[in-house]
Every structure is written in structure tokens, then in C-alpha cells.
């Protein structure tokens, strides 16, 4: 039977906007407002299905974070502290609740994917997550959304071999730390070289430890690196790693701050690169783990660039999905035959 086209699942939640970082902070609520507006009115309006998030549950969070850290964060928010651990990490009264919802977005999306409600999922969350450590906020991140999602996928659905591919401009130190001794979760990051870039981790020599040795792969790029540099790494390093590891589910840490006009990094990616990355992610999922592709928003700080690059990425994802007309559905079915 021909497979019918499925929508792209998008997790959006107005409560993410209540995490108020102040008027001058780059990680502001405008980021999600701009993405939502673009998805509502742009090219993809009739291809996406929007769902709300849910709060991450206690045990989902404590699979990654210390219980005491949860208490410390909640207390800081509720007692009116202006930041947690470093002034970069601005908080308000509602930040703890917003962060719970951001961490629950991955599990919410995974439930929908496993119920075959969509071809892939994109969680448009804030606060972002990949810098958050077990017991410390860092780089605008409080809970490690991608790490929480990975453990949930393993524990709830027994998808043991997970690959997290993080192409935010910055190294996802928190994701790496969560899984560096774990041979079942492969963390692969393409980022600006730590010599020039926050947070100073993600050297090529960091390959994991203990039984997790070899399932961490850092691919740092010098400032000024462009699309060609990324695509070269994809064919020389990323695709061989995928072929060897054979993931049962794929999580993409999608940061859009490597764009050449985003001054949060010195990388020089074009807007079109994100469309290519979307097509690539969809093709990898199609090959190794059909229907199990979750993308989580990380960075991206230019108001005029972020919604466009997100749309390009999602259009790339959808370009590799089953199309809608009967004739195309037939040809697609043929393409999927072994
Ligand atoms: Zn970043």
C-alpha cells in the first residue's frame, strides 16, 4: 500500500515566551515568535502540524541532572534571583516552568513520532539546552533538552542506539558530558574551534572515555569556515560514523548561529546550508531509522536570519519526505524498496 504523506510535527508552546531574559539579552522570546510567524504564514504552513509541549517529569530530568540542581534552580527563580550560576543565564519567576516545558518537548515529540503522527519532529524550544551540565547552567541553557530526550527515547521505547548530531556554532559540552562514557549514545558535533569559541571544549582529541571511547566525535572548524567545509566533514566524517554506528533514532541539535551574519560565532555558513542539512538529516533517518528523527532548536540570534534559516532547514527535511500526489507516492514507495 502506498504510504501517504505525513506532516512535519512542530512543538510550540506560548509558555516558552515567559522565560524573560531582559531587553538586551540575545536569547529572547522574539526568537520563537519570529519562527512561529514564519511557519504560520510561510511556505510550509500547510505541511506542519503544531502540538504543545508538556513539562518534563522528575525522573526524566534526574536521568540527566542532579536533584539538588533542580531544587536550586526552582528556588532561584521563585525567590526573584536574576540569574543562575553566571550572569549569562538570566532568569525570571517563570523560568523554571518554561525550562521544564523545554525539556519535555523532546519526550512529547518522541511520543508523537512513535505513534506515527508525523514524518519527523522539530521542537522550537527555549531556553536552549546543549551547554547545560549535570548540576550547572551555562550559555543560556538550564536543562539539557537533547540529553533528556535521548534518555527518554531509550527508556520509554527501547531505542538503545541513539546518535545526536549537533551543528550549533558552539560545542555542546553538556551533551558530551552526559554521554561520554556511554557507548549507546553517539555525540557528534560540528562547531567553531574551541580556541576561538565558547565554551572552550570540543577538541578533536575528545573521543569519549571508558566504554564510551569512540562514540564522541568533535569536528571543530576554524573561523571563516563556510558551507563547503561543513559538507566536506559530512561526507568524510559524519556519514561514515552513521554507517558504522547504525543509529535506531536520530536527534539533531539545530543551532543557527553559524550563519555568516550571526555575530555569535565567526563561522560563515550561508542560509542555503541549512536546507542542505535538512535534506541530509531526512536522508539519514530514511536509511537508518525511518520516522525517528527529532530536531531540537539550540542557538540562532539574528532576528532577520533565524526564521528564514529554520524554514530552509524544515523545507529540506520535507523535501526528502513522501510527497502527496498518488503518482509521487508510487515513485516514493518504489524508492524505498530495498
Ligand atoms: Zn550556539
Amino acid at each position: 500500500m502506498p504510504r501517504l504523506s505525513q506532516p512535519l510535527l512542530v512543538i510550540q508552546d506560548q509558555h516558552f515566551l515567559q522565560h524573560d531574559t531582559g531587553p538586551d539579552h540575545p536569547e529572547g522570546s522574539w526568537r520563537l515568535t519570529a519562527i512561529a510567524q514564519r511557519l504560520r504564514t510561510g511556505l510550509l504552513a500547510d505541511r506542519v502540524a503544531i502540538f504543545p509541549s508538556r513539562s518534563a517529569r522528575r525522573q526524566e530530568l534526574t536521568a540527566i541532572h542532579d536533584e539538588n540542581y533542580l531544587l536550586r534552580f526552582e528556588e532561584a527563580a521563585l525567590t526573584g534571583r536574576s540569574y543562575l550560576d553566571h550572569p549569562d543565564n538570566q532568569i525570571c519567576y517563570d523560568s523554571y516552568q518554561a525550562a521544564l516545558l523545554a525539556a519535555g518537548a523532546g519526550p512529547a515529540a518522541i511520543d508523537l513520532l512513535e505513534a506515527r503522527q508525523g514524518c519527523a519532529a522539530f521542537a522550537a524550544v527555549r531556553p536552549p539546552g546543549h551547554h547545560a551540565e549535570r548540576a550547572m547552567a551555562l550559555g543560556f541553557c538550564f536543562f539539557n533538552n537533547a540529553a533528556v530526550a535521548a534518555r527518554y527515547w531509550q527508556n520509554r521505547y527501547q531505542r538503545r542506539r541513539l546518535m545526536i548530531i549537533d551543528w550549533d556554532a558552539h560545542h555542546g559540552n553538556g551533551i558530551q558530558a552526559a554521554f561520554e562514557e556511554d557507548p549507546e549514545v553517539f555525540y557528534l558535533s560540528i562547531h567553531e574551534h574551541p580556541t576561538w569559541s565558547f565554551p572552550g571544549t570540543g577538541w578533536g582529541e575528545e573521543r569519549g572515555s571508558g566504554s564510551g571511547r569512540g562514540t564522541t566525535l568533535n569536528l571543530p572548524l576554524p573561523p571563516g569556515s563556510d558551507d563547503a567545509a561543513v559538507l566536506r566533514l559530512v561526507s568524510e566524517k559524519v556519514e561514515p560514523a552513521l554507517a558504522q554506528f547504525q543509529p535506531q533514532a536520530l536527534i539533531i541539535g539545530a543551532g543557527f548561529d553559524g550563519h555568516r551574519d550571526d555575530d555569535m560565532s565567526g563561522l560563515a555558513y550561508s542560509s542555503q546550508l541549512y536546507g542542505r542539512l535538512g535534506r541530509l538529516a531526512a536522508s539519514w533517518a530514511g536509511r537508518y531509522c525511518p520516522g525517528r528523527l527529532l530536531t531540537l532548536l539550540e542557538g540562532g540570534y539574528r532576528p532577520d536570519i533565524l526564521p528564514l534559516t529554520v524554514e530552509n532547514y524544515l523545507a529540506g527535511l520535507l523535501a526528502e519526505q513522501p510527497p502527496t500526489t498518488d503518482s509521487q507516492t508510487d515513485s516514493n514507495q518504489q524508492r524505498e524498496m530495498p
Side-chain angles (χ1 to χ4, degrees):
M1 235 183 97
R3 201 169 82 183
L4 296 175
S5 172
Q6 285 194 303
L8 177 73
L9 307 167
V10 175
I11 306 290
Q12 288 182 336
D13 204 300
Q14 61 174 350
H15 295 96
F16 295 146
L17 308 182
Q18 292 173 354
H19 170 52
D20 183 356
T21 51
D24 302 319
H25 198 284
E27 202 291 286
S29 59
W30 64 265
R31 300 176 65 234
L32 299 191
T33 309
I35 292 170
Q37 157 84 7
R38 187 90 185 191
L39 292 181
R40 200 165 49 240
T41 60
L43 297 170
L44 304 178
D46 60 352
R47 307 280 314 267
V48 302
I50 310 283
F51 291 86
S53 189
R54 67 158 171 86
S55 295
R57 301 183 181 110
R58 204 80 175 172
Q59 76 267 26
E60 293 162 1
L61 288 167
T62 55
I64 297 298
H65 294 284
D66 278 354
E67 185 93 37
N68 282 341
Y69 172 66
L70 270 56
L71 297 171
R72 193 161 65 78
F73 178 14
E74 183 172 24
E75 184 185 25
L78 297 183
T79 57
R81 291 268 307 276
S82 63
Y83 66 86
L84 186 65
D85 294 330
H86 186 283
D88 277 355
N89 314 313
Q90 290 289 309
I91 55 173
C92 68
Y93 185 85
D94 294 310
S95 291
Y96 184 75
Q97 291 301 326
L100 287 179
L101 277 171
I110 289 165
D111 286 344
L112 291 165
L113 288 172
E114 292 284 353
R116 298 178 177 272
Q117 297 295 300
C119 57
F122 173 64
V125 299
R126 64 183 290 274
H130 72 156
H131 296 306
E133 296 272 358
R134 184 161 191 87
M136 184 177 70
L138 187 72
F140 321 154
C141 302
F142 300 89
F143 293 138
N144 202 306
N145 306 322
V148 169
R151 280 287 182 250
Y152 180 79
W153 223 331
Q154 290 184 313
N155 294 336
R156 176 73 179 79
Y157 295 101
Q158 287 73 53
R159 310 292 183 192
R160 299 307 313 174
R161 298 173 67 78
L162 267 97
M163 193 144 172
I164 303 174
I165 298 179
D166 180 349
W167 39 258
D168 186 276
H170 305 95
H171 179 241
N173 57 287
I175 306 177
Q176 177 171 307
F179 302 117
E180 62 193 343
E181 296 182 3
D182 187 338
E184 292 189 315
V185 181
F186 196 124
Y187 177 64
L188 189 156
S189 179
I190 298 174
H191 49 267
E192 190 175 22
H193 196 284
T195 299
W196 293 278
S197 182
F198 181 87
T201 55
W203 296 73
E205 294 80 3
E206 298 167 28
R207 295 300 316 272
S209 58
S211 56
R213 175 103 193 133
T215 51
T216 295
L217 183 58
N218 287 301
L219 304 171
L221 287 169
S225 294
D226 60 6
D227 300 7
V230 173
L231 296 172
R232 195 161 50 240
L233 287 178
V234 164
S235 61
E236 291 176 3
K237 305 287 186 183
V238 180
E239 293 188 329
L242 278 157
Q244 191 179 19
F245 187 71
Q246 301 273 323
Q248 295 171 314
L250 190 56
I251 297 177
I252 305 292
F256 298 83
D257 43 2
H259 191 278
R260 61 187 167 218
D261 293 335
D262 191 317
D263 54 14
M264 203 65 92
S265 86
L267 296 172
Y269 304 163
S270 77
S271 300
Q272 290 72 37
L273 177 67
Y274 298 96
R276 291 288 297 273
L277 291 170
R279 295 184 82 114
L280 285 163
S283 73
W284 299 331
R287 184 174 311 164
Y288 300 109
C289 47
R292 294 191 291 278
L293 171 60
L294 166 64
T295 300
L296 291 159
L297 179 65
E298 295 287 353
Y301 303 99
R302 269 284 298 243
D304 51 341
I305 298 293
L306 179 64
L308 169 72
T309 48
V310 167
E311 184 181 65
N312 282 357
Y313 174 71
L314 299 180
L317 281 184
L318 283 164
E320 292 291 321
Q321 300 303 329
T324 46
T325 67
D326 287 348
S327 60
Q328 285 173 316
T329 306
D330 288 340
S331 71
N332 187 72
Q333 187 196 26
Q334 221 163 29
R335 200 182 61 201
E336 286 179 347
M337 302 274 266

